[in-house]
Amino acid sequence: QVQLAESGGGSVQAGGSLRLSCATSGFTYSWPCVGWFRQAPGKEREEVATIEGSGRPRYIDSVKGRFIISQDKAKKTVALQMNSLKPEDTGMYSCAARWGPCIGAFSYWGQGTQVTVSS
């Protein structure tokens, strides 16, 4: 059974940093694509960053140069290091996974962790 669990959210002032972690279980024989998504109040959920099983990362333009996604296959975790945070980064952050490349809908989701950035 695949499970994802996020941790590391919190409140920070603009310009600060947070590190989110996604602990995975159930991926025994192969490694999936894992992504981080966020949803701000009144807005649709958006994909923030993804990382292929090969380690290739991808980011939306608004976080390029500030966020870094990484994976540790031994620990079965995927992290999102968020630097130079802005108030518009505020939202509920969720990690998700899917088999195969990072194209298409994600099958597995965590519960989410709140990130609040104040100005």
Side-chain angles (χ1 to χ4, degrees), residues 3-51:
Q3 292 184 324
L4 305 173
E6 304 91 340
S7 61
S11 298
V12 64
Q13 289 190 328
S17 298
L18 283 173
R19 183 177 178 87
L20 306 183
S21 182
C22 176
T24 76
S25 62
F27 299 114
T28 304
Y29 301 107
S30 61
W31 190 253
C33 160
V34 178
W36 281 98
F37 295 75
R38 68 186 178 191
Q39 186 167 20
K43 295 187 177 181
E44 293 188 357
R45 183 172 61 197
E46 65 175 347
E47 179 181 291
V48 175
T50 60
I51 187 165

Side-chain angles (χ1 to χ4, degrees), residues 16-20 66-67 80-85 93 115:
S17 298
L18 283 173
R19 183 177 178 87
L20 306 183
R66 300 189 297 123
F67 289 14
L80 185 67
Q81 177 68 41
M82 306 187 295
N83 302 317
S84 302
L85 282 162
Y93 283 69
V115 171

